[in-house]
Amino acid sequence: MGKKLVIGALGQVGTELIQTMRLRYGVDEVIASDIRLRAEPLDGPFLVLNALNEEALRATVKEMGISEVYLMAAMLSATAEQMPDKAWDLNMKSLFIVLDMAKDGLIEKVFWPSTIAVFGPNSEKRNSPQHGTLEPTTVYGISKLAGEQWCAYYHRRYGVDVRSLRYPGLIGYKSMPGGGTTDYAVEIFHKAIEEAKYTCFLSEQRTLPMMYMDDAIKATIDIMEAPAEQIKLRTSYNISSLSFSPEELAAEISKVVAGFQIDYAPDFRDSIAASWPESIDDSSAKTDWAWKSDFNLQKLVRTMIDGVCSLKNA
Ligand code: AKB
């Protein structure tokens, strides 16, 4: 068994994934990499790597004895709409580089995240099924849907062991999201604690599928550790935890942060969110590899408020 490489390790998911993987597999077994230089020390090996630099990636994989790659680098929905060409380039090329390394036998296993953005306005709004209508309207969604199909193709044609999850909006306090439509659900906690008020860029009743970060990290590790025969879908699995609107989240925060006020100034991100489902059906993930969420809204809000307060007091 070789080492594990996380590409995009300083992003919202990468930051927490690295911490959990290092506890589980050992600090030196998990190599963190990002295009940016880390601002603060990150315990354990770290490399500056561009996900589009195929030569550097191949050299790293060979030199460090990497057997698994977690490709977390991507441009998310809101930023991608500002620069569609760059988004397509980053999201697709980085995937091909990693899939080709697996095809050529340089690595054994790949994790690549997909998203609820693969759904579109014609998808079922509630409990959107695993195999329902997938007609995304954002470049991010289009790139992820194409990527899912390429993953399945590389598995079918070349036997590549690639595994993927359709992440909902992810919420955690240890790292900030960047460029997503669901980012409001993290920002709101920081503003609630700093100023007891928040102006939301989504409209008040815009319900979306959401998930606490610990659940997303658990799902990522679980799907990667599951025996290959349990992974029946080589596109990407729906995983689900909670669904709420900004109004519902604010009401729950108000129970803990006295006097918390929210107002609404919906922008282009509200139209992106309107094209996504309110909830998704994750029965395939539950059946195939025993996925289960551990968080409800109350627990998420309590954990976020305690976590953000501990950061401010540190
Ligand atoms: C985004 O908002 O773009 C992401 C996602 C749902 O994939 N958080």
Side-chain angles (χ1 to χ4, degrees), residues 3-284:
K3 297 186 191 224
K4 301 171 200 302
L5 172 69
V6 178
I7 301 172
L10 300 184
Q12 190 200 11
V13 185
T15 305
E16 298 212 27
L17 184 61
I18 281 286
Q19 290 173 9
T20 309
M21 285 173 65
R22 284 188 169 158
L23 284 175
R24 192 170 178 84
Y25 304 117
V27 170
D28 293 329
E29 297 307 303
V30 182
I31 317 295
S33 75
D34 203 281
I35 194 165
R36 294 173 281 158
L37 199 61
R38 57 188 160 158
E40 300 159 5
L42 189 76
D43 291 335
F46 177 85
L47 301 170
V48 175
L49 263 183
N50 180 345
L52 298 180
N53 188 340
E54 181 161 14
E55 213 183 315
L57 279 166
R58 283 186 171 243
T60 301
V61 157
K62 282 184 199 156
E63 278 160 25
M64 306 204 77
I66 305 289
S67 64
E68 285 182 16
V69 170
Y70 297 68
L71 175 55
M72 311 312 287
M75 200 181 288
L76 300 189
S77 56
T79 312
E81 288 309 295
Q82 313 306 312
M83 37 184 122
D85 300 358
K86 270 199 171 162
W88 179 260
D89 223 44
L90 172 62
N91 295 358
M92 298 310 299
K93 270 196 193 154
S94 59
L95 176 60
F96 280 118
I97 289 172
V98 173
L99 288 177
D100 281 334
M101 289 197 295
K103 177 184 150 204
D104 295 344
L106 296 181
I107 51 176
E108 288 163 20
K109 230 190 246 185
V110 175
F111 178 80
W112 178 77
S114 187
T115 163
I116 53 164
V118 296
F119 296 100
N122 297 326
S123 303
E124 295 73 350
K125 215 50 196 162
R126 297 209 176 84
N127 258 339
S128 233
Q130 177 71 47
H131 299 289
T133 305
L134 299 171
E135 294 173 7
T137 51
T138 61
V139 66
Y140 174 59
I142 297 169
S143 70
K144 289 292 182 176
L145 181 57
E148 286 188 6
Q149 293 301 322
W150 276 112
C151 289
Y153 183 88
Y154 269 67
H155 176 71
R156 215 167 37 239
R157 175 110 196 243
Y158 309 117
V160 166
D161 189 354
V162 53
R163 304 169 182 212
S164 176
L165 302 169
R166 288 178 181 155
Y167 287 144
L170 299 181
I171 303 167
Y173 65 87
K174 294 182 189 155
S175 53
M176 289 303 281
T181 299
T182 57
D183 295 7
Y184 92 86
V186 177
E187 289 172 11
I188 192 171
F189 287 98
H190 290 266
K191 290 287 180 187
I193 284 152
E194 284 159 14
E195 300 170 22
K197 61 177 196 257
Y198 178 63
T199 300
C200 185
F201 57 75
L202 297 189
S203 50
E204 55 202 289
Q205 284 169 17
R206 184 68 65 216
T207 301
L208 288 171
M210 295 285 186
M211 182 174 284
Y212 187 63
M213 189 61 82
D214 286 10
D215 266 347
I217 301 297
K218 182 180 71 152
T220 306
I221 289 175
D222 283 357
I223 195 174
M224 286 300 274
E225 288 187 354
E229 61 276 11
Q230 285 180 14
I231 310 301
K232 310 244 193 288
L233 298 175
R234 295 297 180 152
T235 48
S236 188
Y237 278 93
N238 282 4
I239 47 165
S240 170
S241 174
L242 311 156
S243 282
F244 54 75
S245 63
E247 192 178 42
E248 288 163 335
L249 179 57
E252 204 55 47
I253 293 174
S254 303
K255 292 182 190 163
V256 189
V257 179
F260 176 63
Q261 299 288 330
I262 185 164
D263 59 9
Y264 299 90
D267 63 21
F268 73 100
R269 290 169 282 189
D270 193 49
S271 321
I272 297 178
S275 76
W276 294 348
E278 293 185 353
S279 59
I280 59 174
D281 172 36
D282 59 358
S283 40
S284 296

